[in-house]
Amino acid sequence: MPRDLPHFIISGLGRSEKYKAKGSGSTKRPHDVPNRAQHAQALLRALDALPDLSGGARPGVYLEVQGRAGEVMITKGLNASDLTLLSIVQEHPENNQPTKATVFATAKGLDKLRHKIEDFADKNRTKADGSEGRPYNADLVQSIGAIVEAGLRALWRGPISKFPDGDGTIPWEIWLDISQAEAFFARAAEFGVAIGADRLEFPEDLVVIANATQNSLALANRRLAGVRALAAPTVTADYFDAMQIEEQAEWLGALQNLTTFEPIDSPTYITLLDRGVSRAHPLIAPALTGADRHAADPAWGVEDYVGHGTQLAGLSLYGDLTVALQAMMPIQLRQRLESAKIIPDAGHNPHHLLGAMTRAGINAVETAADRRRIFAMASTTEDDTPHDGAPTSWSTEIDQLVAGVSGLKKIPRLLLVSAGNTNQNLFGNDDYLSSSHHPENEIESPAHAWNAICVGAYTNKIFLPFGEAGVPLAPAGDLAPSSRTASWLSHWPIKPDIVFEGGNWVVNGPPPPMGHSALALLTTDHQFPLRVFTTCGETSGATALAARAISELWTEYPHLWPETIRALFISSARWTQQMRSHLPTNPAKGAYGQLFQRYGYGVPDMQRARRSASNALSLVVQDTIQPYRSSDSGGEHTHNEMKLFELPWPVEELRKLADTPVTLRVALSTYIQPNPSEPARGSKFRYASHNLRFKLNRPNEGKSEFIARISKIAEQPEGPVVDEDDGWKFGRNRRDVGSIQIDELSCAASDLARRNIVAVHPVAGWWKARTAKDPENRSARFALVVEIDAEALETNLYAEVQMAIDNLNAVSVVV
């Protein structure tokens, strides 16, 4: 059954205020330890307890260095002076667990670390003015909470729950320091470690498969060193794709036995707007009834003769089947499928009918039944390229359909659309990101529609079968080579909105790089029973995975609006570390532009989208606003109201945190009604019926001053855009575009305690034009999501917010 929403929902409780007339980044450090002498002595005792390296029998020792709970860990000093930093495991902030670093230390490295700790205990630096400064090595030593010898688990890449159990001989994927690999190979057999013949070489690592028991590998690791990481040998999609049909059928039977279609009174349906879906496949049939297959043109039929729709169906239900088949864990499915064929089996739709056929497909399924639906469309056109972000006829119709002003049923909808796939022939074998920004690789229409969720692709697939020639083109965590990017940096919405796994390409010989089944997603084949599995990927596969994720979210919280689900989903996204590596050290607001063009807001974190924990609170508002009213002078309409929300900050708890940094993230989502004639006349701000913005009061800024500042800003929406020095990370140049705005700021907790008013206000839109009739009868829905992240600090924020919410419900009114 759907769970109650663990976010606070405030519907229709914004305080309305009339507009006033015109004229009227420093580096974090750990906190000082209470007693530096005791702290140093504890660490020195930990070093004394480590194995003795003086005899030369061991080249060094692996250390697990734990940080201090609730403190930042500065690891620079752990990767110098004969210490080699191998990995860092940053625990999720809400778990309040210390960061852990795995370090290899030689005998010299341990001696140098000992001296650094001793200097910390006894010596202080001298400031420029001659006064006493901080202790020597303060950042390093105060980052460390404990030091112990590390075992194999500390070297494990991946969830620790996947670490092998038992003491039998099993295969291991071993990552070796490339400079020490040959020495390891020469003696590994002495310790019972059998090294396979295949090698995978990277700039700093050599990867091999070895067979050994845990004890044998642990002994070899202690005596030989050179091991940088361990992992489970990777099984890729091509392993299952290449199987004979009889073997595929055995895997299918096993998966069917593990799968339960959970009975739900009102499930969420994923409606695939594609080429039809085959019900012959036993993994799909339980989720897709015969009556739930439709076509925009009834003469087309509903079967899938190409295979694309059936591939997306499998991914929408199960995700990447490579994962499911390896895990062999029970699967409970709550979502269901619908299919609306919008592409003919032969040929294609004329360009002028693309929007009409999309509308016809949506009409077909909505006429059949009233349901909670997520529309997923992995179909785009290159005929409108280049458009540079400007609306097209198809994207405008998508905006109308999502807003509920088009279609037989005038209801808001949730729709995902793929970003489109790149022209492979434009790529070389090296700097593929530059090729991704080629004008011909611009995001295709209609994926740049304001109201739709545009899905791009990234990849974590970097493993080819051992012995196979070639290397993956994209590094793990970066843009999938197939994913198109935005050509625009201003005015038009940030697209893509988010990215999901879309597979990788392989470089083998002269360009262009090619697709490879090992670097793709595994899914269902429309040719069943001739074939069970096939591969899929690119932005089509990413869109299906996104539909699966967002359907699970909406199934849990079915009473939320589409606008709200969209806000929670997109706002949960974050850039991977690899994506962030393209930023300068201290990025200015403008530096994020290229990341937005490639990845949107990043990869959604579904746990973040769901949670409301004691150190990360999501406050969710669903409300309406009447943005404009008729002018007394008979000219252009004027702004009518703004909505003010006095946020239920946990003031006392935030004050206790004093100067501790906290992060605030805000998302505002609304559906606009489009008017493509306005941009054609040069008014880019008036493509939308209404444009909404959010503002947060500054520390010590009262309500009246706050309202006056917003009123002034709102009257100048089409003037020069200048970022305010208000602490926001992305800034208004990138935030104040499209129909969803997201930004975040970090500040001292005590400052946030004094910033407790958020405003939602309109700026220009075509509803404001004098020719728009009855502005008093035009209202817009919006969702506002506000999240506080206190970064793993032990605070009971939740309880105080709950008390404030109770009070808010009692006093909030709309004026």
Side-chain angles (χ1 to χ4, degrees), residues 321-548:
L321 282 173
T322 308
V323 178
L325 291 171
Q326 287 185 81
M328 277 298 162
M329 298 294 289
I331 299 172
Q332 287 190 320
L333 296 179
R334 295 185 294 172
Q335 69 270 42
R336 300 294 185 266
L337 294 179
E338 289 179 324
S339 170
K341 183 183 288 190
I342 64 169
I343 306 170
D345 297 322
H348 56 83
N349 292 314
H351 182 270
H352 69 281
L353 291 180
L354 292 172
M357 299 313 293
T358 305
R359 181 177 64 247
I362 290 175
N363 285 341
V365 295
E366 290 184 341
T367 301
D370 291 325
R371 290 168 172 168
R372 186 173 58 254
R373 292 182 173 89
I374 295 163
F375 293 96
M377 184 172 72
S379 176
T380 57
T381 180
E382 62 182 16
D383 292 347
D384 292 320
T385 303
H387 52 73
D388 200 31
T392 63
S393 61
W394 196 4
S395 74
T396 301
E397 178 59 15
I398 293 295
D399 279 332
Q400 290 196 133
L401 286 164
V402 175
V405 295
S406 183
L408 293 177
K409 295 193 175 182
K410 303 301 188 280
I411 54 173
R413 301 175 175 93
L414 194 58
L415 188 147
L416 285 69
V417 60
S418 64
N421 299 327
T422 53
N423 181 348
Q424 200 163 345
N425 294 318
L426 297 175
F427 286 79
N429 286 346
D430 44 15
D431 186 13
Y432 81 102
L433 289 175
S434 295
S435 299
S436 297
H437 289 281
H438 191 284
E440 290 188 32
N441 282 330
E442 172 190 75
I443 286 175
E444 287 185 320
S445 175
H448 60 302
W450 287 42
N451 295 332
I453 298 174
C454 175
V455 184
Y458 86 117
T459 189
N460 275 319
K461 292 187 176 289
I462 58 169
F463 289 105
L464 291 167
F466 275 87
E468 186 138 350
V471 294
L473 178 61
D478 216 322
L479 187 74
S482 61
S483 190
R484 287 179 173 255
T485 59
S487 60
W488 57 95
L489 267 174
S490 60
H491 297 302
W492 302 119
I494 290 173
K495 298 292 173 178
D497 292 283
I498 46 92
V499 290
F500 269 79
E501 177 66 65
N504 207 342
W505 292 347
V506 64
V507 174
N508 182 22
M514 304 297 290
H516 193 292
S517 58
L519 304 177
L521 304 164
L522 189 71
T523 186
T524 46
D525 197 315
H526 77 295
Q527 300 176 90
F528 184 88
L530 299 179
R531 297 292 297 169
V532 177
F533 306 123
T534 187
T535 57
C536 178
E538 305 184 318
T539 58
S540 294
T543 302
L545 295 180
R548 176 176 182 257

Side-chain angles (χ1 to χ4, degrees), residues 277-279 284-293 313 336-339:
V277 175
S278 171
R279 286 195 70 247
I284 294 175
L288 175 64
T289 68
D292 287 334
R293 295 193 296 172
R336 300 294 185 266
L337 294 179
E338 289 179 324
S339 170

Side-chain angles (χ1 to χ4, degrees), residues 680-691:
R681 291 192 284 264
S683 180
K684 295 180 179 180
F685 291 92
R686 300 204 176 194
Y687 168 75
S689 52
H690 61 286
N691 285 285

